[in-house]
Amino acid sequence: MTTRLVILAMLSIAASSFGFTPANAEADSNANGKELYQLCAQCHGKDGLGNQVALAPAIAGQRDWYLLNQITKFRSGQRGTHFYDIAGMRMRPMALSLRTDQDVADVVAYVAAMPPEKPAATLEGGDPEKGKTHFQVCLACHGPNGEGMQALNAPTLNHSSDWYLLTQLQNFRAGIRGTNPEDVTGAIMRPMSMTLPDEQALQDVIAYIMTLSESK
Amino acid sequence: MIERYVEIASTYGGNIDALILLIAALVGFWLVLCEVVFIGFIIKFREKPGVRGQYITGEEKHQKRWIAIPHYLVLVCDIVIIVFAVNIWYTVKQDLPEPDVTVRIIGQQWAWSFVHPGTDGLLDTEDDIKMVDELHVEKDKVYHFKLEARDVMHSFSVPVFRLKQDAVPGRIITGWFEATKLGSFDIQCAEICGIGHGMMAAKIFIESPEEHQKWVALNDPTEDSKHTSTVAANNAAAN
Ligand SMILES: [Cu+2]
């Protein structure tokens, strides 16, 4: 730690004496983000691609505003404090371990910059064709390719794992997520999850989401 | 003495402290005595010009006494400790007084969840109040708790009660407490249970009967009332 600081200081002095701008704030904040991510890697994996055994979703390349929003919710108890929210209760103390707003911002920037990867399907029995019909509701907010939309606070879905999409949709429907009175954006998604008539529709819409990819 | 550093808020807290002090005093006495004797011998028998070191087998009576007498005295101290410890263990862990209220406590990675019996005073009914991180109890009432673990082992620890009980997956362990002080106090997990163990904190709120009634009424999940706690509110929605 101290060694790192000393090296950084020496580098920035060297850089400035050669007429470069000293190690800028952005590089510094990424170093902090990288260090903080060591903890997250325990469950989300070192590349942020998730780990089903730990119930930890893929987060690499998720939108920074959404990451910030969710970590803030875990910290304030809007998410991860429900009696039946097994996975959320695991994540909440991790979010609370970030000490300052700057730490949150740094780790968010680090995660958002990780390259996403389309995870392999783990569920069977969903029909993407039927799912496409259901998805007509979703695309209004999550975008036609599930790429997410900041104006509507709707996150990217197209590189999430199918098992995670399923638990989240089930959680929204059961009121485990999106029912906290303070959770404004969750409250927007909860009624949307109710537009899916049954468990099979969840499987179908997820099967369709699994066919989507970022096409920008 | 310990109370100066950590308050006592349960009926049996004082017994536990007394036992800890008894053990500390007896063991401490022997520790100090042994060190004094050892250091005394080291000084007394230090290297001296013209004196050769001896090989001592320790078989002679006057040498053996140094071991034998303390040995028997320590055994007596052990028996004293055991008698006190068993006595207190029996009161705290085995002889459960009849409960006024029973709550369910569930440990999981990494939070404590609580099921309060609600208005009807019975567990596993419609009006149970389910909460994460908050246990609400009434002062001067005997509580039984049914302790469970959802995943790995945890240990339910309330320092001001001097209470610690392991929670074991697959088992329902019954314990008891009676709170003697109003206020809110820490609940911890005292069994390493994974990466979030150190942050598995919750609070116990010890309330007067009136306060507690009010809290129960406000959080009744069968009533569409204004909830005092956002936690209760979102739990009510899933009931
Ligand atoms: Cu624990």
Side-chain angles (χ1 to χ4, degrees):
Chain A
M1 184 66 199
T2 350
T3 342
R4 214 192 69 208
L5 284 178
V6 171
I7 292 171
L8 266 177
M10 278 171 18
L11 279 178
S12 53
I13 291 166
S16 52
S17 63
F18 281 105
F20 299 133
T21 39
N24 63 30
E26 200 187 346
D28 241 358
S29 106
N30 276 346
N32 188 33
K34 184 174 179 180
E35 189 167 314
L36 292 167
Y37 188 77
Q38 300 299 310
L39 169 65
C40 323
Q42 303 285 331
C43 299
H44 293 282
K46 73 179 195 327
D47 302 314
L49 301 176
N51 173 1
Q52 186 173 5
V53 176
L55 307 176
I59 49 176
Q62 182 55 274
R63 308 286 175 223
D64 54 0
W65 45 266
Y66 175 74
L67 293 169
L68 178 65
N69 191 354
Q70 297 306 306
I71 291 175
T72 309
K73 284 186 198 191
F74 280 119
R75 286 162 69 83
S76 68
Q78 291 170 41
R79 193 176 165 188
T81 52
H82 192 282
F83 192 82
Y84 295 108
D85 192 358
I86 307 286
M89 280 189 243
R90 291 197 183 170
M91 178 56 208
R92 183 160 135 80
M94 303 304 135
L96 284 169
S97 78
L98 300 166
R99 281 202 209 89
T100 61
D101 291 349
Q102 189 57 47
D103 280 357
V104 173
D106 290 348
V107 79
V108 160
Y110 185 78
V111 173
M114 294 169 106
E117 215 170 86
K118 186 87 190 168
T122 63
L123 302 174
E124 291 166 6
D127 177 352
E129 275 309 308
K130 287 197 191 124
K132 188 173 180 179
T133 322
H134 296 305
F135 195 74
Q136 299 313 305
V137 178
C138 323
L139 58 75
C141 299
H142 290 283
N145 294 310
E147 68 274 25
M149 225 177 275
Q150 179 166 14
L152 299 168
N153 297 303
T156 303
L157 302 177
N158 63 23
H159 41 72
S160 304
S161 310
D162 51 6
W163 57 265
Y164 176 71
L165 293 172
L166 182 64
T167 54
Q168 295 312 300
L169 289 174
Q170 286 167 340
N171 285 357
F172 277 119
R173 286 159 68 88
I176 294 170
R177 189 174 164 188
T179 42
N180 187 293
E182 326 263 287
D183 183 2
V184 185
T185 53
I188 296 173
M189 178 55 211
R190 184 160 137 77
M192 298 304 133
S193 69
M194 307 287 202
T195 65
L196 300 164
D198 51 25
E199 191 71 13
Q200 186 56 43
L202 301 190
Q203 298 275 350
D204 294 344
V205 79
I206 290 168
Y208 179 70
I209 294 173
M210 291 305 281
T211 68
L212 298 174
S213 63
E214 211 94 345
S215 57
K216 275 194 287 187
Chain B
M1 212 161 129
I2 303 172
E3 204 180 348
R4 275 180 50 197
Y5 304 98
V6 184
E7 285 179 80
I8 294 178
S10 72
T11 45
Y12 49 59
N15 298 356
I16 304 260
D17 280 9
L19 181 62
I20 290 173
L21 287 177
L22 176 77
I23 295 173
L26 290 179
V27 174
F29 167 77
W30 285 106
L31 175 76
V32 171
L33 186 65
C34 286
E35 295 308 317
V36 167
V37 170
F38 276 139
I39 293 169
F41 281 176
I42 288 171
I43 293 169
K44 183 162 181 224
F45 296 109
R46 69 186 180 280
E47 187 192 19
K48 291 190 193 107
V51 181
R52 289 203 56 186
Q54 291 180 46
Y55 180 68
I56 297 172
T57 57
E59 278 159 348
E60 277 148 63
K61 252 210 163 98
H62 77 280
Q63 290 169 342
K64 268 207 242 172
R65 276 205 309 251
W66 287 93
I67 302 292
I69 296 172
H71 178 206
Y72 290 119
L73 292 176
V74 166
L75 270 183
V76 172
C77 293
D78 277 353
I79 290 167
V80 171
I81 290 176
I82 289 170
V83 168
F84 272 85
V86 167
N87 222 320
I88 290 172
W89 178 268
Y90 183 74
T91 353
V92 176
K93 298 277 186 179
Q94 293 192 301
D95 180 31
L96 281 63
E98 278 303 304
D100 298 314
V101 187
T102 303
V103 293
R104 198 182 295 289
I105 301 176
I106 305 157
Q108 74 141 83
Q109 289 173 322
W110 291 282
W112 290 107
S113 305
F114 305 98
V115 184
H116 307 79
T119 323
D120 65 1
L122 296 171
L123 273 185
D124 303 320
T125 51
E126 273 276 282
D127 68 349
D128 285 359
I129 303 172
K130 295 177 178 172
M131 287 218 166
V132 174
D133 291 351
E134 283 185 25
L135 173 60
H136 291 254
V137 301
E138 220 174 286
K139 184 172 166 274
D140 300 328
K141 281 241 166 108
V142 176
Y143 276 76
H144 275 197
F145 57 82
K146 305 263 174 208
L147 185 60
E148 298 172 28
R150 274 179 177 155
D151 36 41
V152 299
M153 274 181 66
H154 301 276
S155 180
F156 180 70
S157 157
V158 187
V160 293
F161 283 0
R162 307 294 192 267
L163 168 64
K164 245 182 217 174
Q165 174 61 57
D166 279 5
V168 183
R171 285 183 61 189
I172 299 175
I173 297 171
T174 308
W176 76 283
F177 58 79
E178 181 179 341
T180 55
K181 243 185 213 158
L182 296 174
S184 75
F185 303 97
D186 291 338
I187 293 174
Q188 314 169 326
C189 179
E191 176 70 52
I192 296 278
C193 59
I195 194 170
H197 163 71
M199 279 181 283
M200 197 170 152
K203 283 260 173 218
I204 180 165
F205 295 85
I206 305 170
E207 296 155 348
S208 65
E210 303 79 51
E211 269 179 318
H212 191 70
Q213 282 318 309
K214 225 195 284 172
W215 176 84
V216 170
L218 273 170
N219 290 283
D220 188 336
T222 59
E223 302 267 320
D224 201 21
S225 52
K226 273 267 156 283
H227 300 286
T228 49
S229 148
T230 54
V231 174
N234 69 21
N235 288 326
N239 271 330

